[in-house]
């Protein structure tokens, strides 16, 4: 069992629990140190070694390396999954058209948000390409060039889709979270798709626990929010506090305050609290950039003080 449980997001299939812990733990300690608590920071990570506070990564990315799961091309997903990918691509484009920090991205997304009728008439497989290709043309998704961006966008779309359409993937991911939770667990931190996994897993948890979500798509209507389990949605009963962090340019998170979407559990009063928008610089969705923030350190300190 771990005191802090970490849950990674999309496109981590080439990692492992160990490699991700090695990347997240220094950031986690750095946020606490930036908050002004070096003693607690040293208990998390110091001199390249984990500290005395048990912190474990719930790793599920390996499920996206099984045959047909990674979604390297249109033939790897069925029609229903392809339709869901299309919806998500359109939502991300719409978000970019409204909120992209780069003026060029915002203008490009505004031009791409309407898919031509003739493309729609050819079916879902034709309709997904304009949206996917449009995302890959945005600088937000293509800092290393369009070729790599297309692969990243496809992986992201297909992995979110598989989580919501393949119950074996969904159950496995949640089991990895719950396997690390016990009576001494104080905090679960979920990034990107990991915030969805953490949220759903905590509905099966009996221990009181705090939740921190970073760059979360939980408020995305249709693709994510309407597919959450259980329905109707609410804050998990076990959650004693829910903090949500969003970078102003994080298109995956869609700039949503989660409070209007998640009412308290019956008989409880806990609702998501979204801090003032952060600035993660050139990597707005990066997990480490979220972790090292002073506000993150304060959230961790508060959770461990319980």
């Amino acid at each position: 069992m771990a005191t802090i449980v970490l849950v990674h997001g999309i496109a981590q299939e080439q990692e492992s629990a160990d490699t991700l812990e090695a990347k997240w733990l220094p950031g986690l300690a750095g946020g606490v140190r930036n908050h002004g608590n070096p003693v607690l920071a040293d208990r998390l990570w110091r001199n390249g070694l984990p500290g005395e506070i048990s912190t474990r990564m719930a790793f599920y990315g390996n499920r996206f390396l099984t045959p047909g799961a990674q979604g390297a091309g249109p033939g790897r997903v069925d029609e229903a999954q392809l339709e869901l990918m299309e919806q998500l691509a359109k939502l991300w484009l719409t978000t970019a058209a409204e909120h992209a920090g780069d003026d060029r991205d915002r203008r490009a997304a505004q031009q791409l948000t309407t898919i031509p009728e003739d493309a729609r008439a050819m079916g879902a497989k034709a309709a997904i390409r304009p949206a996917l290709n449009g995302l890959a043309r945005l600088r937000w998704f293509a800092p290393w060039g369009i070729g790599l961006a297309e692969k990243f966008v496809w992986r992201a779309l297909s992995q979110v889709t598989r989580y919501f359409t393949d119950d074996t993937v969904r159950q496995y991911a949640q089991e990895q979270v719950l396997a690390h939770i016990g009576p001494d667990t104080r905090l679960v931190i979920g990034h990107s798709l990991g915030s969805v996994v953490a949220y759903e897993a905590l509905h099966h948890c009996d221990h009181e626990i705090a939740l921190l979500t970073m760059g979360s798509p939980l408020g995305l209507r249709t693709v994510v929010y309407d597919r959450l389990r259980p329905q109707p949605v609410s804050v998990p009963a076990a959650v004693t506090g829910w903090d949500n962090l969003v970078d102003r340019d994080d298109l995956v998170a869609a700039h949503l305050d989660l409070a209007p979407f998640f009412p308290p559990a019956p008989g409880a009063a806990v609702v998501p609290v979204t801090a003032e928008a952060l600035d993660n610089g050139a990597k707005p969705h990066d997990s480490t950039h979220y972790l090292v923030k002073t506000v993150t350190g304060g959230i961790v300190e508060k959770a461990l003080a319980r």
Side-chain angles (χ1 to χ4, degrees):
M1 304 299 106
T3 303
I4 301 175
V5 178
L6 313 171
V7 194
H8 67 83
I10 55 177
Q12 303 300 316
E13 67 278 359
Q14 300 294 345
E15 298 282 0
S16 69
D18 301 274
T19 59
L20 287 173
E21 284 173 15
K23 293 178 180 179
W24 280 47
L25 276 171
L28 186 69
V32 172
R33 197 177 307 278
N34 287 337
H35 179 65
N37 194 333
V39 174
L40 179 58
D42 286 350
R43 294 177 63 202
L44 289 164
W45 179 269
R46 185 62 176 165
N47 294 328
L49 295 172
E52 64 188 71
I53 297 175
S54 175
T55 306
R56 301 301 303 272
M57 175 64 67
F59 181 69
Y60 60 94
N62 53 324
R63 284 296 174 172
F64 298 116
L65 281 178
T66 55
Q70 190 169 326
R76 302 288 185 91
V77 294
D78 61 30
E79 200 70 29
Q81 291 172 331
L82 200 54
E83 175 62 27
L84 186 57
M85 290 173 67
E86 176 186 4
Q87 294 177 32
L88 180 55
K90 290 178 182 177
L91 280 174
W92 279 356
L93 276 176
T94 300
T95 301
E98 296 175 357
H99 299 293
D102 188 307
D103 290 341
R104 289 165 293 183
D105 275 359
R106 191 162 58 252
R107 289 194 298 269
Q110 289 168 356
Q111 295 173 352
L112 291 163
T113 47
T114 302
I115 295 177
E117 289 295 332
D118 57 349
R120 277 199 203 96
M122 295 172 65
K125 288 189 177 181
I128 185 60
R129 283 305 182 183
L132 186 149
N133 291 339
L135 286 176
R137 287 167 54 187
L138 302 186
R139 293 168 59 85
W140 196 93
F141 287 103
W144 306 284
I146 290 178
L148 290 176
E150 288 176 346
K151 294 180 180 179
F152 170 78
V153 169
W154 186 270
R155 289 204 311 273
L157 291 167
S158 62
Q159 288 179 13
V160 174
T161 297
R162 282 190 60 82
Y163 180 81
F164 285 110
T165 59
D166 187 333
D167 282 342
T168 62
V169 171
R170 195 174 199 160
Q171 181 178 348
Y172 178 83
Q174 293 179 32
E175 286 174 349
Q176 305 321 298
V177 178
L178 295 171
H180 292 302
I181 293 178
D184 294 330
T185 306
R186 295 290 178 264
L187 176 65
V188 173
I189 303 175
H191 173 246
S192 188
L193 178 60
S195 68
V196 178
V197 179
Y199 166 82
E200 291 197 329
L202 288 176
H203 275 286
H204 303 285
C205 180
D206 296 325
H207 305 294
E208 291 189 348
I209 197 164
L211 173 63
L212 168 59
T213 52
M214 309 182 304
S216 175
L218 276 164
L220 281 176
R221 288 285 190 179
T222 308
V223 176
V224 175
Y225 181 80
D226 294 342
R227 295 173 181 269
L228 293 173
R229 297 174 184 169
Q231 291 282 343
V233 300
S234 69
V235 175
V239 170
T240 57
W242 180 352
D243 289 283
N244 182 55
L245 300 179
V246 182
D247 178 275
R248 66 193 67 172
D249 295 326
D250 190 342
L251 302 184
V252 173
H255 302 264
L256 292 177
D257 177 5
L258 297 180
F261 297 88
F262 294 90
V270 175
V271 294
V273 176
T274 300
E276 183 179 350
L278 304 177
D279 181 2
N280 285 340
K283 296 182 178 180
H285 191 60
D286 187 81
S287 57
T288 300
H289 288 203
Y290 275 112
L291 289 169
V292 300
K293 294 295 183 292
T294 299
V295 64
T296 308
I299 292 167
V300 174
E301 181 184 70
K302 179 179 66 175
L304 295 184
R306 289 193 301 113

